[in-house]
Amino acid sequence: MKIAVVGIGLIGGSMALVLKAQGFASVVLGVDSNESHAAKALAGNLVDAVTDLAGAVANSDVVILSAPVNVCTDLLPRVLDLVDRQVVLDTGSTKMSLLDAVKGHAKRGRYVATHPMWGTEFSGPEAATLQAFKGRANVICNAEESDEDALALVKELYGTLGMYPVYMDGYNHDVHVAYISHISHITSFALANTVLEKEKEEDAIFELASAGFESTVRLAKSSPAMWMPIFRQNKENILDVLNEHISQLRKFKSCIEKENWTYLTELMEHANKIRQVLDRKS
Amino acid sequence: MKIAVVGIGLIGGSMALVLKAQGFASVVLGVDSNESHAAKALAGNLVDAVTDLAGAVANSDVVILSAPVNVCTDLLPRVLDLVDRQVVLDTGSTKMSLLDAVKGHAKRGRYVATHPMWGTEFSGPEAATLQAFKGRANVICNAEESDEDALALVKELYGTLGMYPVYMDGYNHDVHVAYISHISHITSFALANTVLEKEKEEDAIFELASAGFESTVRLAKSSPAMWMPIFRQNKENILDVLNEHISQLRKFKSCIEKENWTYLTELMEHANKIRQVLDRKS
């Protein structure tokens, strides 16, 4: 099967690697507006050739859109214009903007909206890895709007990556990811800025930063070029969660200010319940 | 050498394990007000015998205080009252309360204030592990107030654990750990409560929670019994950091509300600088 990957970074590059290694893809064509990324992808054997968008669509069976979400929202209708038999999927962290962009498009059925729940704080083709995706959920949104054969092929593709499908409508997807992914990134970015702002002694950060700090602040290394468009597209849901999070932090602050140690303990005991959720996964 | 461990949980238990395995300790005596913890420590061979505080001090060369910080603040002056030649150290995450509690004590010199920068979200003797401590910093506070021989022995002990020493006064220690450890725990607890509050569909959390979410919320599993006394003793520093953190979150919120995507990108690019700090460690 011939695959086109549009946006050859962490996600697109890892897909290319795994699908080739698993024999799902015979040829991978790469498209990237960043020439340095395209060159690295070619040099690193993530793709067999680099081409333009029209050439990639014409010469492939599956088109994977794995550019930043704003770029995908622009590209998706144009790609569907070019499609006849091909299947198109995207891997973005927001879904409503994409679904809205192709609502009523004559080729809507050829598109399957997906979100593989995997990532790292690294980006670009050099971050691509064969260790990606496995054992994680892949969300498929508004599956009923896709052609049966397109859906079947996309399920097979994600099965090859070792992912299991979760079905959800785009609206609910965008609400849930605000809680389960987007807010974690905002808190990490803000925590990094908090420490960088007040802790002028960089050596002290370096010497003392323990594993706990590293794990909460790790996502602050993430790419602004990828995340700004996500925050933009999921604005309303993210503001909801951010308001709730600030209000939860204010509860901790108020307990400490008022020395209400009993209520502070209760807040922490409540937070401990997240254990039940996380431990089901491991 | 005979070691007494007062509070046989994650830290004290791990110290007992490693010091015995490395041949630094010939006998480990355990003291714990929690009978179930004491029994588990004995059954798990973390300690050779369980005894009372006076017996442990009388029959040991080094006394390790690794109970919650409020308990250690109570115990330390009483332990120094019982000491003649023994060396006493604590492992707590706050230092000023302890240092104040024994200021001017006749046996002050026998005490060395330390804080090994290692931990996990787990607690109790069953969390003790031989994998602890190695390669991390151990902070030694107000070293000049300790007897030379006591300081030398404590440095040897932490060297045996594979830790390197960092010297700091207690005041600066408490300021730095507020940034580098305590705030991470508060943001994780608050993030867990944010998600548990709004995300009533527990299955969605379970299905969608990606590695990013798990890493930012991991510390929310931590023990309230251990952390409440830390937040209490380091109240003023933590409130400083918490105010700064809430103000940093408000900047993100304001950018998203006002659709100021340029400034939002700048905030994230600034946060990316934490990479330089974290990458020096790995």
Side-chain angles (χ1 to χ4, degrees):
Chain A
M1 188 156 306
K2 291 181 184 171
I3 308 274
V5 177
V6 182
I8 323 157
L10 170 69
I11 301 298
S14 297
M15 282 204 171
L17 276 180
V18 182
L19 293 175
K20 195 80 176 276
Q22 295 289 325
F24 185 95
S26 54
V27 173
V28 179
L29 302 174
V31 180
D32 207 305
S33 60
N34 180 322
E35 282 178 27
S36 146
H37 280 192
K40 279 182 193 162
L42 200 55
N45 289 315
L46 299 180
V47 299
D48 299 299
V50 168
T51 177
D52 63 3
L53 187 66
V57 174
N59 295 296
S60 66
D61 305 299
V62 180
V63 180
I64 296 170
L65 299 179
S66 45
V69 293
N70 56 324
V71 177
C72 288
T73 306
D74 283 347
L75 289 182
L76 181 59
R78 290 164 50 196
V79 169
L80 285 187
D81 290 344
L82 298 170
V83 152
D84 42 68
R85 81 216 130 70
Q86 299 93 325
V87 173
V88 183
L89 66 88
D90 84 293
T91 63
S93 191
T94 51
K95 284 286 152 287
M96 283 310 290
S97 293
L98 279 152
L99 291 166
D100 286 347
V102 294
K103 212 178 179 82
H105 191 288
K107 303 284 176 53
R108 170 63 185 89
R110 307 314 298 159
Y111 166 58
V112 184
T114 73
H115 181 195
M117 300 303 298
W118 178 86
T120 74
E121 68 274 33
F122 306 111
S123 54
E126 56 273 49
T129 166
L130 277 166
Q131 313 313 317
F133 308 119
K134 207 169 173 175
R136 295 277 172 181
N138 172 55
V139 185
I140 300 180
C141 290
N142 299 27
E144 70 288 354
E145 296 173 15
S146 301
D147 294 344
E148 265 180 45
D149 69 301
L151 188 59
L153 187 67
V154 167
K155 285 166 70 173
E156 194 191 335
L157 185 153
Y158 279 104
T160 304
L161 298 178
M163 306 192 88
Y164 61 92
V166 174
Y167 299 92
M168 208 172 275
D169 65 56
Y171 175 80
N172 280 317
H173 168 273
D174 285 8
V175 171
H176 289 311
V177 292
Y179 283 95
I180 264 126
S181 163
H182 303 173
I183 188 69
S184 292
H185 285 79
I186 291 180
T187 57
S188 274
F189 282 124
L191 185 59
N193 283 347
T194 302
V195 173
L196 291 167
E197 182 61 35
K198 298 274 268 190
E199 183 61 286
K200 300 297 184 196
E201 294 177 43
E202 202 180 281
D203 279 347
I205 311 181
F206 168 64
E207 297 281 15
L208 300 188
S210 59
F213 177 72
E214 287 184 44
S215 89
T216 43
V217 91
R218 180 174 65 83
L219 299 179
K221 300 180 188 176
S222 300
S223 156
M226 175 184 161
W227 281 96
M228 187 276 276
I230 293 173
F231 297 152
R232 185 174 185 164
Q233 289 195 354
N234 209 17
K235 175 186 166 185
E236 297 304 334
N237 291 319
I238 287 171
L239 284 175
D240 264 6
V241 189
L242 201 42
N243 282 325
E244 177 65 30
H245 185 53
I246 290 170
S247 123
Q248 292 289 343
L249 279 170
R250 289 190 165 286
K251 286 188 198 175
F252 279 84
K253 185 186 156 185
S254 164
C255 285
I256 296 172
E257 268 171 354
K258 295 176 182 157
E259 309 203 335
N260 188 342
W261 310 117
T262 308
Y263 186 41
L264 181 66
T265 301
E266 283 170 20
L267 288 177
M268 289 190 272
E269 284 167 351
H270 187 262
N272 279 172
K273 291 183 184 158
I274 204 73
R275 219 182 267 166
Q276 296 155 18
V277 178
L278 296 182
D279 292 355
R280 273 172 70 192
K281 292 190 75 73
S282 51
Chain B
M1 189 156 306
K2 292 181 184 171
I3 309 274
V5 177
V6 182
I8 323 157
L10 170 69
I11 301 299
S14 297
M15 281 204 172
L17 275 180
V18 182
L19 293 175
K20 195 79 177 276
Q22 296 288 325
F24 186 94
S26 53
V27 173
V28 179
L29 301 174
V31 181
D32 207 304
S33 61
N34 180 322
E35 282 178 26
S36 146
H37 280 192
K40 279 180 193 163
L42 200 55
N45 289 315
L46 299 180
V47 299
D48 298 299
V50 168
T51 177
D52 62 3
L53 187 66
V57 175
N59 294 296
S60 65
D61 306 297
V62 181
V63 181
I64 296 171
L65 298 180
S66 46
V69 293
N70 56 326
V71 177
C72 288
T73 306
D74 283 347
L75 288 183
L76 181 59
R78 289 166 50 199
V79 169
L80 286 188
D81 290 345
L82 297 170
V83 153
D84 42 67
R85 81 216 128 71
Q86 298 93 326
V87 174
V88 183
L89 66 90
D90 84 293
T91 63
S93 192
T94 52
K95 285 285 151 290
M96 282 310 289
S97 294
L98 279 152
L99 291 166
D100 286 348
V102 293
K103 211 178 179 80
H105 191 287
K107 301 284 175 55
R108 170 63 185 89
R110 306 314 297 158
Y111 166 59
V112 184
T114 74
H115 181 195
M117 300 304 297
W118 179 86
T120 74
E121 67 274 33
F122 305 110
S123 53
E126 56 273 50
T129 166
L130 276 167
Q131 312 313 318
F133 308 118
K134 207 170 172 171
R136 294 278 175 181
N138 171 55
V139 185
I140 299 179
C141 290
N142 299 28
E144 70 288 354
E145 297 173 13
S146 301
D147 293 345
E148 264 180 47
D149 70 301
L151 188 60
L153 187 67
V154 167
K155 284 166 70 173
E156 193 190 335
L157 183 152
Y158 279 105
T160 304
L161 298 177
M163 306 192 88
Y164 61 92
V166 174
Y167 299 92
M168 208 172 274
D169 66 57
Y171 175 80
N172 280 317
H173 168 274
D174 284 9
V175 170
H176 289 312
V177 292
Y179 282 96
I180 263 125
S181 162
H182 302 173
I183 188 70
S184 292
H185 285 79
I186 291 179
T187 56
S188 273
F189 283 124
L191 186 58
N193 283 347
T194 302
V195 173
L196 291 167
E197 181 62 33
K198 297 275 268 191
E199 183 61 284
K200 300 297 182 194
E201 295 177 43
E202 203 180 282
D203 279 348
I205 310 181
F206 168 64
E207 297 282 13
L208 300 187
S210 59
F213 177 73
E214 286 184 44
S215 89
T216 42
V217 91
R218 181 174 65 83
L219 300 178
K221 301 181 187 176
S222 301
S223 156
M226 176 184 162
W227 281 96
M228 186 277 275
I230 292 173
F231 297 152
R232 186 174 185 164
Q233 288 195 355
N234 208 18
K235 176 186 165 183
E236 297 304 334
N237 291 320
I238 288 172
L239 284 175
D240 264 6
V241 189
L242 200 43
N243 281 326
E244 177 66 28
H245 185 52
I246 291 171
S247 123
Q248 292 290 343
L249 280 170
R250 289 191 165 286
K251 287 189 196 173
F252 279 84
K253 185 186 155 185
S254 165
C255 284
I256 298 173
E257 267 172 353
K258 296 177 181 156
E259 309 203 334
N260 189 342
W261 310 118
T262 308
Y263 186 41
L264 181 66
T265 301
E266 284 170 19
L267 288 177
M268 291 190 271
E269 284 168 352
H270 186 261
N272 279 173
K273 291 185 185 156
I274 204 72
R275 220 182 265 164
Q276 296 156 16
V277 178
L278 295 182
D279 291 355
R280 273 173 68 191
K281 290 189 75 73
S282 51

